[in-house]
Amino acid sequence: MIMPNIPALIAWGIFTAFFIDVGWTPVAALSTIVGPMIHYLLPILIAYTGGHIVYQVRGGVVAAIATFGVIAGSDYLIAQYNLTQPADNQLGQIHMFIGAMIMAPIAGYSMKWLDKLWENKIKAGFEMLVNMFSAGIWGFALAILGFYPIAWLVNGLMNILSAAVNWLVSAHLLPLTSILIEPAKVFFLNNAVNHGVLTPLGLEQATGPAHKSILFLLEANPGPGVGLLLAFTIFGIGAAKASAPGAAVIQFIGGIHEVYFPFALMKPTLIIALILGGMTGVTTNVIFNTGLRAPAAPGSIIAVIAQTYQTDYLGVILSVILSAAVTFIVAAIILRASRKKDLAAEAAGSDAFSSAISQTEANKGKSSEALAGLRGSAAGAAAGATDVAERTVNSIVFACDAGMGSSAMGASVLRNKIKKAGIDGVTVVNKAIANLDGSADLVITQNQLTERAKAQAPDAVHVSVDNFMNSPKYDEVVDLVRSQHQDGQ
């Protein structure tokens, strides 16, 4: 629900960076966009996306209606509370990100279930009438549900979480959050932690007088991840050492943190290095009182710098550097201490890195938006090789659920191989499965997504793979494409 709407968060961050009263170029008129955008547009976009995932446009529309009820209910509850409080103790708005994430699946699944009750039972000519009124009436009912119990629940939850964060800040214990956040990231709870908890809380702070929040940096700091990958680059062995440099670039510049998860999982003691690095970064930001204007998504150093509050560049950059350095040093010590044992295990045929990739995929689960790590779409499978040979391939599409992390990495790897092979005229791009439009000659997907891709692009050749970074099928695909293009010259 969150990932497809990151562009809207980025746009909101740009508006705040330039046009609010403490922005780079304050413009009072344009600054009026900031409040409605974060309070109404973004939660409703999230709700529509979630409802659409469950039940296409119909689910999205009902989810948006229901979420507006939650927003209005939250505002009403806060207004009633503020009437009982003095002017210097007024509550601000709570932005219903969590409310949208609750209501969207409720609305989508319930509308889908209701439609099945009268499926094939409507007299001809009345279908549109029933469809429109049923969705409208059910949206109305869910908006009432959102206005009362859901708004009360979410407001209470946000107040509890805000109080907990404020206590951690006042007690100077915020760095201890890394003890929970860094392991949670490795076990693929990064988006749940960041967008489910830290982003809503951070937005509450960023829309307040400070116009920034340190919470946006607790999970998004790319320092610990790149420190771990650099340690593997120098002190690692085998496939992990070979994969680490490219993964470091993807993680640090591209912001795809999941590429370092298998490296930590193959040697769980390395999570200690990540925790210590994360704590170093948080401590640095606490000391310098630094923060971001808006979420840094994806967690790229570019996104972090772009969202840094204008007076906080020194502290934020130092937090990234120092967290990377601490993680690197601790990880290097761990890797060096176990080097002989790791070399012996590799010589005996153990493939810890491949097993860690599999574990990362298992942690991700089928329902995840995208696996932006070392599993995902890849280029080539024996089952698809014959089909490729019988069809001239000029367009290759890597497709995954969201069309972002995993498919982008696969496309990049294959694109580089095709370029090195001197093959011209072949495009390699990445898309979400839902955006496949039939123009591709070859579609490459992860095994469990192939059937969905076939339904979306039935005329294309479909190739199913599972090993993203180290697939031996890359070279087979390159050879086939080279052969086709040489024969056509």
Side-chain angles (χ1 to χ4, degrees), residues 437-485:
D437 54 13
S439 62
D441 298 313
L442 173 66
V443 177
I444 303 169
T445 50
Q446 193 176 4
N447 292 329
Q448 58 264 45
L449 300 178
T450 302
E451 292 305 316
R452 285 174 50 194
K454 286 181 177 179
Q456 195 73 19
D459 296 330
V461 175
H462 289 267
V463 174
S464 302
V465 295
D466 58 4
N467 190 338
F468 183 42
M469 294 290 284
N470 299 308
S471 174
K473 299 299 180 178
Y474 280 106
D475 294 331
E476 294 180 23
V477 171
V478 172
D479 289 341
L480 287 168
V481 175
R482 182 196 291 117
S483 175
Q484 290 177 347
H485 283 253

Side-chain angles (χ1 to χ4, degrees), residues 182-362:
E182 295 302 332
K185 288 176 67 176
V186 170
F187 289 101
F188 226 95
L189 296 171
N190 56 316
N191 286 333
V193 170
N194 195 24
H195 299 309
V197 179
L198 298 178
T199 292
L201 291 172
L203 288 170
E204 299 299 323
Q205 294 182 357
T207 52
H211 296 295
K212 64 181 179 180
S213 176
I214 190 177
L215 301 182
F216 294 137
L217 285 163
L218 298 188
E219 188 272 345
N221 184 351
V226 77
L228 178 68
L229 292 169
L230 290 176
F232 268 95
T233 299
I234 298 174
F235 301 105
I237 63 170
K241 179 181 177 72
S243 301
V249 174
I250 292 168
Q251 188 266 349
F252 193 64
I253 305 298
I256 304 173
H257 287 207
E258 287 85 345
V259 293
Y260 77 77
F261 296 174
F263 293 84
L265 288 173
M266 69 181 292
K267 192 178 291 293
T269 52
L270 290 170
I271 295 176
I272 297 172
L274 294 171
I275 291 172
L276 293 175
M279 292 176 68
T280 301
V282 176
T283 301
T284 304
N285 284 311
V286 169
I287 292 172
F288 282 85
N289 189 29
T290 50
L292 305 185
R293 298 186 187 90
S300 160
I301 186 62
I302 297 172
V304 169
I305 297 300
Q307 298 292 12
T308 297
Y309 193 72
Q310 55 258 47
T311 60
D312 293 354
Y313 287 103
L314 175 61
V316 169
I317 293 172
L318 270 178
S319 75
V320 174
I321 294 173
L322 293 176
S323 62
V326 169
T327 301
F328 173 83
I329 292 170
V330 177
I333 293 170
I334 294 171
L335 290 173
R336 287 293 297 172
S338 62
R339 185 174 180 82
K340 289 184 179 180
K341 181 180 178 181
D342 294 340
L343 287 170
E346 185 181 47
S350 174
D351 192 354
F353 188 55
S354 179
S355 298
I357 295 173
S358 298
Q359 186 177 348
T360 301
E361 184 178 31

Side-chain angles (χ1 to χ4, degrees), residues 28 111 150 163 212 281 366 390 423 440:
M111 191 71 249
I150 302 299
K212 64 181 179 180
K366 283 181 68 175
E390 295 173 354
I423 302 170

Side-chain angles (χ1 to χ4, degrees), residues 1 9 11 24 45 63 69 78 85 120 129 182 195 226 228 244 254-255 281 301 329 338 344 371 377 406 419 466 477:
M1 287 187 276
L9 275 169
W24 292 107
L45 279 175
I78 291 172
Q85 300 297 312
N120 300 322
L129 181 68
E182 295 302 332
H195 299 309
V226 77
L228 178 68
I301 186 62
I329 292 170
S338 62
L371 173 56
S377 305
S406 59
K419 182 178 180 180
D466 58 4
V477 171

